[in-house]
Amino acid sequence: MRSTTLKGPIGTIHIIEASPPGTAGESEPLPVVFVHGMAVSANIWEAQLARVARTRRAIALDMRGHGDSARPEDGNYAPASCAADVLAVLDGLGLDRVAIVGHSFGACIALATAASAPHRIAQLILADPPGDFTKVPADVYEERIVPYQRALETEDWAAAVENSFNEALTGSRADTRDRILTCLAATPQDCLCGMSRGMFAFDAVDALDRYLAAPGTRAHAIIAPSNTFPFSLHVLRPTLTTSTLPDTGHWLMLDAPEAFARELNICLEGV
C-alpha cells in the first residue's frame, strides 16, 4: 500500500492506495474509493483495500480533520463540503469515474458526492448508513436529537458521544469496540460536533434520489441487523437494495471483514 497527499479545498488530503499487480490496461475495472466515518481514518479500510486491490485499484481517504488530513478552520464538516474533498482526490489522481464505498457519516459524504457528480460515480455502496434525520418526526427530534446536540457543546460532550458510540457498538466484537473507543478518545470536540451537525442536517433521501435519477447509476446498502429505524435510509426508500450482515454492530467491516468483502465483490460485479 502507498501513502501520499494531495491538495484539497482546505489543505492537505492524505490517502492510502493499493493496486493489483501487473500493467493497467483499457479493460481494467473501475477503481474503488473508500470513505470512513466519524473518529477513525483511512486505515479502518486496510483489510478491504487489500482485498479489492487483488483485482482493481483501491483508494481510501483521511477525511478532513481526521488522520493526516487538514482540519477545517471554520469547523465545516457538512457532507457537501467533505464531498468536495473526495472530488479533489479524484481530480488529483486523474480518475474520471469510480465506485465509492462510504461508512456511517462517510455514507453521507458518499451520497453527497454521488448526488453532486453522478456521472463520476458508477456504483454507490453504503455501509450501514445513518438514517435521514431530516425525516425524524418533530417531537422525536426535540426529545432525542436536540438534547444530544446541546450536550456536544458542553463540558459533558465526551460522555455524550461515548454513550452514542456504545449504542452503535451493540453486537460488535470486543476488538472492534476497543479500537473504535480508542479512536473516539483521540478525536477533538470540534470535529465530532461538526460532523454531528452535518449529519443531522443532511437530507440523505434527496441525495439518493438525485443520484439515482441520473442514467447508469447503481446503489446498494450493506447494513447491520440493528439498522431498522423508521428513518433508516432503506426504510424510507425501499427500492434501495440491501444485504444484512448477521452478528455485527455498526462497524460491520471490522466485525465481519470476510463477509463484508463478499458483499462488496457482489456489488462491484460488472463495474
Side-chain angles (χ1 to χ4, degrees):
M1 293 190 191
R2 302 177 299 279
S3 175
T4 189
T5 57
L6 298 168
K7 183 178 179 181
I10 64 164
T12 299
I13 303 174
H14 174 252
I15 67 170
I16 303 171
E17 60 175 322
S19 300
T23 304
E26 292 183 3
S27 62
E28 183 181 3
L30 289 180
V32 181
V33 174
F34 291 88
V35 185
H36 66 77
M38 293 185 195
V40 294
S41 62
N43 62 19
I44 203 83
W45 294 112
E46 282 183 347
Q48 301 305 321
L49 287 170
R51 287 172 171 84
V52 169
R54 294 170 186 169
T55 58
R56 65 177 78 211
R57 191 175 180 186
I59 302 106
L61 297 72
D62 279 344
M63 295 310 305
R64 56 174 60 191
H66 294 74
D68 293 323
S69 291
R71 292 173 64 180
E73 294 182 3
D74 60 359
N76 183 357
Y77 288 92
S81 298
C82 295
D85 299 338
V86 176
L87 292 172
V89 168
L90 300 191
D91 291 341
L93 296 176
L95 301 176
D96 294 328
R97 192 164 165 84
V98 299
I100 190 168
V101 182
H103 171 252
S104 191
F105 184 78
C108 297
I109 298 171
L111 276 163
T113 305
S116 66
H119 60 289
R120 304 190 71 173
I121 307 301
Q123 171 76 63
L124 172 65
I125 302 169
L126 307 172
D128 212 39
D132 187 330
F133 292 95
T134 69
K135 304 299 187 291
V136 173
D139 58 335
V140 177
Y141 197 93
E142 282 293 323
E143 180 182 347
R144 298 291 304 273
I145 306 302
V146 171
Y148 179 69
Q149 289 179 303
R150 289 173 179 162
L152 291 181
E153 308 291 343
T154 72
E155 62 182 13
D156 296 324
W157 68 272
V161 175
E162 185 172 344
N163 287 339
S164 175
F165 270 56
N166 273 317
E167 287 184 18
L169 284 162
T170 300
S172 291
R173 300 185 338 190
D175 56 341
T176 298
R177 173 181 294 275
D178 291 345
R179 179 174 180 177
I180 296 304
L181 292 180
T182 297
C183 291
L184 178 62
T187 306
Q189 181 181 11
D190 66 311
C191 177
L192 292 166
C193 287
M195 284 198 153
S196 295
R197 284 193 296 267
M199 179 178 68
F200 292 137
F202 181 59
D203 192 335
V205 166
D206 175 71
L208 180 63
D209 288 347
R210 285 189 286 128
Y211 169 66
L212 290 177
T217 55
R218 310 192 320 187
H220 182 81
I222 306 172
I223 62 175
S226 60
N227 197 338
T228 56
F229 304 103
F231 55 91
S232 291
L233 191 57
H234 63 284
V235 174
L236 294 170
R237 282 294 179 271
T239 53
L240 174 64
T241 61
T242 64
S243 49
T244 302
L245 298 191
D247 303 317
T248 60
H250 183 52
W251 286 267
L252 63 183
M253 70 286 201
L254 297 181
D255 289 328
E258 295 292 343
F260 187 89
R262 285 194 296 271
E263 293 299 328
L264 194 57
N265 284 338
I266 293 171
C267 291
L268 293 173
E269 288 178 358
V271 176

